[in-house]
Amino acid sequence: MTGAEENFISNEPVAIDGNNERTLPSETLGLFAADAPEWLSMDTVAAKGHVRRAPEQEQGQLNAAVFENLDGTYSMHYFGTDIKYVDEQGCERDKSTRLKPVTSGEYAFAVEDNNIRSLYPAQLSQETGVLLTDGAITIDIRPDSAANDAAREQAVPAADARSDKRTAKNGADRDIDRMLYQGVFGAGTALRYTPTFEGLKEDIILERPTEINRFSFLIRTGGLAVESNETEYQFVDGDGEIVARVGSIEVFDSGDSGRLREEEAEYRHVFEIE
């Protein structure tokens, strides 16, 4: 259920149904801009001359979107992951990673407009974690500060939720919703969760040098088996189907150097099955 979307956008308009003659009025661009899906850059809209979403041309492709252009041709956008889902009424809807407040229970925010929902508690602790669910499968992720002596002594019993945003790097003219929990593994540490189309991205943030060097989590899978390959861990159901993945660890420096080289940092990714 985890992963980040990557997209490929066709460079040339494609003719559909032979409709290449009609010219649409430029004022329709304003209407489209107001309803643009979150994953589409408005720079792309201007560059490609898109004036209308054409769902009638998408033919049930959940990883593709078609737009009509100003000259009457169509452009199809392909993505490396599904950008749409089928709701309970059988209708195709655009996926969203927007966080919405939850008005009851122990969860404060949730991604609702997606077939893979993520829910974030008002207080993150070993008793209440982050949830990922598609309705049939639920995965519960909780910090386990007790697994490290220094973390156990310093960690807050329950970290309060705080939502924040960052500007999208892909030029999509929107802020990206995120959840932040301070002090989960002790002073100067934080956990940040960013919803994605297929789950979530987790960042362990070290705000200053710390003696804490082990960050453990309890993951309840509801009976899914765990398998691994060279790059990731996979959760497999009783039929042998991969239903969720935990990607490899990436370590970044907050300075200009960016991603750390292997000789600069040593880290291990280990699963223990209970």
Side-chain angles (χ1 to χ4, degrees):
M1 291 183 181
T2 59
E5 62 272 16
E6 298 179 356
N7 67 293
F8 168 79
I9 301 176
S10 59
N11 292 322
E12 299 294 335
V14 295
I16 298 178
D17 296 337
N19 183 10
N20 297 309
E21 301 295 333
R22 184 162 53 92
T23 298
L24 300 179
S26 59
E27 58 264 22
T28 58
L29 280 169
L31 296 175
F32 175 80
D35 299 324
E38 67 178 52
W39 40 262
L40 183 66
S41 163
M42 294 311 297
D43 290 339
T44 299
V45 173
K48 300 296 183 181
H50 299 337
V51 293
R52 182 181 72 87
R53 179 79 173 267
E56 71 278 3
Q57 304 288 357
E58 294 172 4
Q59 301 174 344
Q61 299 181 80
L62 297 181
N63 69 331
V66 177
F67 295 87
E68 189 168 8
N69 303 314
L70 190 64
D71 62 359
T73 61
Y74 293 81
S75 291
M76 178 174 288
H77 297 237
Y78 282 105
F79 293 76
T81 187
D82 287 348
I83 58 168
K84 296 176 289 181
Y85 70 102
V86 180
D87 66 15
E88 295 177 351
Q89 286 72 45
C91 300
E92 290 185 11
R93 297 182 60 188
D94 286 333
K95 286 191 174 190
S96 174
T97 60
R98 290 294 190 191
L99 289 169
K100 296 182 179 181
V102 177
T103 56
S104 62
E106 56 195 357
Y107 291 91
F109 292 89
V111 171
E112 298 285 357
D113 298 326
N114 200 317
N115 59 317
I116 301 174
R117 300 176 63 222
S118 55
L119 295 90
Y120 303 89
Q123 292 187 317
L124 182 66
S125 68
Q126 287 187 226
E127 285 69 43
T128 307
V130 173
L131 295 184
L132 283 173
T133 181
D134 65 356
I137 298 170
T138 298
I139 294 177
D140 183 326
I141 307 169
R142 308 179 184 192
D144 183 18
S145 57
N148 180 285
D149 290 339
R152 180 172 60 249
E153 294 173 1
Q154 300 179 32
V156 296
D160 292 334
R162 179 166 65 87
S163 62
D164 72 348
K165 298 176 182 291
R166 73 171 175 85
T167 302
K169 294 182 179 180
N170 63 358
D173 299 335
R174 70 177 183 89
D175 291 330
I176 295 175
D177 290 351
R178 306 184 299 187
M179 294 297 302
L180 186 69
Y181 297 92
Q182 294 279 2
V184 175
F185 290 102
T189 70
L191 286 178
R192 183 173 63 204
Y193 292 98
T194 305
T196 70
F197 282 169
E198 294 187 319
L200 58 84
K201 176 179 179 288
E202 178 184 70
D203 292 307
I204 303 171
I205 301 172
L206 305 182
E207 298 169 342
R208 58 177 180 266
T210 175
E211 62 182 315
I212 301 170
N213 59 11
R214 179 176 178 178
F215 305 93
S216 299
F217 297 84
L218 302 173
I219 302 179
R220 298 182 177 181
T221 68
L224 298 174
V226 178
E227 298 179 354
S228 65
N229 57 30
E230 294 182 355
T231 60
E232 64 183 10
Y233 284 87
Q234 303 165 342
F235 296 154
V236 181
D237 65 15
D239 296 325
E241 181 181 355
I242 299 172
V243 297
R245 294 179 171 88
V246 178
S248 60
I249 299 173
E250 296 182 351
V251 180
F252 291 85
D253 188 349
S254 61
D256 296 333
S257 57
R259 183 176 299 179
L260 296 182
R261 298 187 298 270
E262 290 185 4
E263 61 268 25
E264 296 176 316
E266 180 181 348
Y267 49 88
R268 294 189 303 142
H269 196 183
V270 178
F271 268 84
E272 298 176 355
I273 311 300
E274 296 183 355

